[in-house]
Amino acid sequence: MTDKRTAILEATLTLISERGFHNTPMSLIAKASGVSAGIIYHYFANKEALINELYKEIKLEFLRAMLVDYSEDLPLKERFLSIWHNLVNYSLNYPARGVFLEQFENSPFRNHEMDEDVIQVTASFFQLFQQGVEEEVFTSLPPLVLFDLSFAPAIALVKRHLAGFVEMDDDLMQAAAIACWKAITI
Amino acid sequence: MTDKRTAILEATLTLISERGFHNTPMSLIAKASGVSAGIIYHYFANKEALINELYKEIKLEFLRAMLVDYSEDLPLKERFLSIWHNLVNYSLNYPARGVFLEQFENSPFRNHEMDEDVIQVTASFFQLFQQGVEEEVFTSLPPLVLFDLSFAPAIALVKRHLAGFVEMDDDLMQAAAIACWKAITI
Amino acid sequence: MTDKRTAILEATLTLISERGFHNTPMSLIAKASGVSAGIIYHYFANKEALINELYKEIKLEFLRAMLVDYSEDLPLKERFLSIWHNLVNYSLNYPARGVFLEQFENSPFRNHEMDEDVIQVTASFFQLFQQGVEEEVFTSLPPLVLFDLSFAPAIALVKRHLAGFVEMDDDLMQAAAIACWKAITI
Amino acid sequence: MTDKRTAILEATLTLISERGFHNTPMSLIAKASGVSAGIIYHYFANKEALINELYKEIKLEFLRAMLVDYSEDLPLKERFLSIWHNLVNYSLNYPARGVFLEQFENSPFRNHEMDEDVIQVTASFFQLFQQGVEEEVFTSLPPLVLFDLSFAPAIALVKRHLAGFVEMDDDLMQAAAIACWKAITI
DNA sequence: AATGAATGAGCGTTCATTCAT
DNA sequence: CATGAATGAACGCTCATTCAT
């Protein structure tokens, strides 16, 4: 069954987000998942494969969450704001996921290859920024640059909130989202 | 001598930025610093203390590098752009430092207490954003929020550059800095 | 069916001769035999029993192969040479069997008890050497000693051949067999 | 110091000869040597390296023991018998060594490369058989073949003795040595 | 009979830390 | 100050064996 696999992945996510990769022994993952240590190796080749698989799944889930209610039929600004708010809301609702992603992506574990699934989801962002540039709404910069100008502050602010240094309420979200919109528009 | 201490810190920085915290044994740090394993414990209480100390030093150095040529006598925009470019240039010139800081700050190692020295340096940024808000040049938001709106994209773009996904040249730097300026100005 | 039992024994033989006892997990035996891991325990009590059973079967087969075309009606020398050549030919034709036997007999796995079947087959060798001594053709030594003087070199030479250090052709076989004959004759 | 290294090697020899490679955990070697488990890895890269090193040392010691009192000035037969008796006496006096060597050489651990030291010692045997062939005392066969005809029975008989199936006394040794001499002489 | 998921003890190995020198 | 041999707890992982299906 996939039950155990899921339990293992969930325990790994929680533990790693709280304790870090190397302070999370396989034995602890086993205990937290309610399985034996040995069976983890039935589902994953080794610890690294487990973590990489977890990263892929969480990354994909995260990107998809950014695109909830997204439609290319909506105006650019609405699309932009929807993504922005989705990103922040999801990060606030599932803080372990964001923490895990940031930890992974800033660690030497990272492997810059992207899954086919991830590339596909990413295409929507690419299209958004491409279109904005073509319609001369956005500054003429590579999509990845526009992406970072748009969303790097969002992630940074969520971290500030989780660390207790900033109170992320609706007003702040609105204001910050608008600020990012201003950053990329002409 | 402080020579050994420095050698240890430098080796630790390089090794951790390349290999991660837990894949960097003390014995390797010893070898890379040209000292014995035992002597590290003369200068630092333990591995955690060594890493925390390294973090403090690098963080302070990083913040100070952002303030090179900074003067409160200069106009707001010049000050802002100077910081922005300093940040990016320093990160590009000393990539191990940025990588280490990001790795540390996104890990559960992190301890949100700030050194007196760091607080002092930080005051300059605080003053800058405070003044901008008072003069109604910047959107009325907490300084930390303005900080992230201003500099989170800079860090993100440096990472893209180091990963090979974006070519960070002067034009891009200018354009991205201006975008961040637009984000926070009214 | 006995089919599976046989498949398990054959896979075990091949794997152990190539990889050694402890580098041959039950799971690998299962895979190589095309059966499940669990069913092995239907045919054999445990790994040790499986290996012991395999040893018994191979040992018996080996001894019987030495006696192919053997008849007490033939002259002593013919009988001796027939056994000698059978031993070498069989070992060359089925190298895994010889390798397995040697590995087993030189390991602490070994248990010096002999099966009834093996004792029976062994009787022929005993009779051969007994008769030779009585007829004053062979040096007066215990049969087991004459056995080793006769065949230990044969086994050693097969190992040299398999290791590539000696080319075992018909001439060498003849010469070596005669040498062994000379060793035991008066 | 080399004290610990030696203690580790000796414990490994005894334990492996009694229990086999894989039934001899590193932890047991540590306990039997009176050292910690960790320090073994200071002297040997890993278990395999430890065992290979042990093999090399024991093999060399064994070969050298065969050549005690050996001199090329002595007559062929004396030289031959000296080696033969040395081999048997050493094997009987240090049974763990012989058991270990046989176990190793019949296992897939074996690596047929020979140390420079071993090759050098081996040269004496080579010379002996070469000379015997040239002087037309020995049958014209490759030295390695003459070696096995000469000594394989000796090893086999020691095993029989240790297993309790043959009583190896002086008379038997003399007779068996002469039998082997007969095997290789014209 | 047969499967293969599951267990958990035990393995080889690493490494932060100590301490005799 | 300095060394590096030494410790031993803890890790990732394997595998003989069991058992629900």
Side-chain angles (χ1 to χ4, degrees), chain C residues 83-170:
Chain C
I83 291 174
W84 210 97
H85 285 91
N86 278 341
L87 159 51
V88 170
N89 284 324
Y90 187 82
S91 298
L92 293 175
N93 288 334
Y94 303 100
R97 284 164 164 72
V99 167
F100 172 79
L101 289 178
E102 286 293 300
Q103 195 181 322
F104 186 94
E105 295 183 351
N106 287 290
S107 82
F109 264 85
R110 173 160 222 182
N111 160 341
H112 285 282
E113 285 156 30
M114 273 198 293
D115 240 40
E116 191 49 43
D117 290 339
V118 169
I119 291 171
Q120 244 176 302
V121 179
T122 305
S124 296
F125 301 105
F126 195 82
Q127 190 279 332
L128 170 68
F129 291 117
Q130 199 86 355
Q131 185 186 335
V133 170
E134 278 161 17
E135 294 182 2
E136 300 190 336
V137 179
F138 294 166
T139 308
S140 175
L141 287 167
L144 214 44
V145 173
L146 294 173
F147 185 95
D148 285 342
L149 289 167
S150 303
F151 305 125
I155 293 167
L157 288 171
V158 169
K159 288 185 199 171
R160 299 286 189 199
H161 174 88
L162 295 175
F165 291 114
V166 153
E167 172 64 22
M168 178 66 101
D169 54 20
D170 280 352

Side-chain angles (χ1 to χ4, degrees), chain D:
Chain D
M1 301 157 208
T2 204
D3 253 18
K4 280 198 176 156
R5 207 189 111 98
T6 306
I8 293 165
L9 285 168
E10 275 176 12
T12 305
L13 170 69
T14 308
L15 288 168
I16 287 184
S17 70
E18 285 168 1
R19 312 170 45 104
F21 298 121
H22 292 273
N23 199 24
T24 300
M26 295 296 267
S27 57
L28 191 58
I29 293 174
K31 193 181 296 180
S33 335
V35 304
S36 75
I39 200 62
I40 300 180
Y41 295 86
H42 183 74
Y43 294 102
F44 305 95
N46 50 44
K47 191 179 182 181
E48 194 184 334
L50 163 58
I51 292 174
N52 278 303
E53 178 60 25
L54 178 58
Y55 173 68
K56 276 188 202 166
E57 298 201 2
I58 299 294
K59 183 70 178 180
L60 194 57
E61 193 182 304
F62 191 89
L63 291 171
R64 284 184 175 147
M66 289 172 73
L67 293 172
V68 166
D69 296 329
Y70 182 87
S71 160
E72 295 192 0
D73 302 335
L74 299 169
L76 274 183
K77 190 168 184 179
E78 258 178 69
R79 283 195 261 163
F80 176 91
L81 293 174
S82 157
I83 291 174
W84 209 96
H85 285 91
N86 279 340
L87 159 50
V88 171
N89 285 323
Y90 186 83
S91 298
L92 293 175
N93 288 333
Y94 304 100
R97 283 165 163 72
V99 167
F100 172 79
L101 289 177
E102 286 293 299
Q103 194 181 321
F104 186 94
E105 295 183 351
N106 286 290
S107 82
F109 265 85
R110 173 162 220 180
N111 163 337
H112 285 281
E113 283 156 31
M114 275 198 293
D115 241 40
E116 191 47 46
D117 291 338
V118 170
I119 290 171
Q120 246 175 300
V121 179
T122 306
S124 296
F125 302 104
F126 194 83
Q127 190 279 334
L128 170 69
F129 292 116
Q130 199 86 352
Q131 184 186 336
V133 170
E134 277 163 16
E135 295 181 1
E136 299 190 338
V137 180
F138 294 165
T139 309
S140 175
L141 287 167
L144 214 44
V145 173
L146 294 172
F147 185 95
D148 285 342
L149 289 166
S150 304
F151 304 125
I155 293 167
L157 289 171
V158 169
K159 287 184 200 172
R160 297 289 188 195
H161 173 90
L162 294 175
F165 291 115
V166 153
E167 173 62 23
M168 177 66 99
D169 54 20
D170 280 352
D171 286 351
L172 177 51
M173 272 181 64
Q174 304 280 10
I178 291 299
C180 292
W181 174 258
K182 285 196 298 176
I184 61 171
T185 45
I186 291 178

Side-chain angles (χ1 to χ4, degrees), chain B residues 42-122:
Chain B
H42 179 73
Y43 295 102
F44 305 95
N46 51 43
K47 191 179 183 183
E48 194 185 334
L50 162 59
I51 291 173
N52 278 304
E53 178 60 25
L54 178 59
Y55 172 68
K56 277 186 201 166
E57 298 201 2
I58 299 295
K59 182 70 178 182
L60 192 57
E61 192 182 308
F62 191 88
L63 290 171
R64 284 186 176 143
M66 289 171 73
L67 294 172
V68 166
D69 296 328
Y70 183 85
S71 157
E72 294 191 2
D73 301 336
L74 298 170
L76 275 182
K77 188 167 186 179
E78 257 178 70
R79 284 195 260 163
F80 175 92
L81 292 175
S82 156
I83 292 174
W84 209 97
H85 285 92
N86 279 340
L87 158 52
V88 170
N89 285 323
Y90 186 81
S91 298
L92 293 176
N93 288 334
Y94 303 100
R97 284 166 162 72
V99 166
F100 171 80
L101 289 177
E102 286 293 299
Q103 194 181 322
F104 186 94
E105 295 183 350
N106 286 290
S107 83
F109 264 86
R110 174 162 218 180
N111 161 338
H112 286 283
E113 284 155 30
M114 275 196 294
D115 242 39
E116 190 50 43
D117 291 339
V118 170
I119 290 171
Q120 244 175 302
V121 179
T122 306

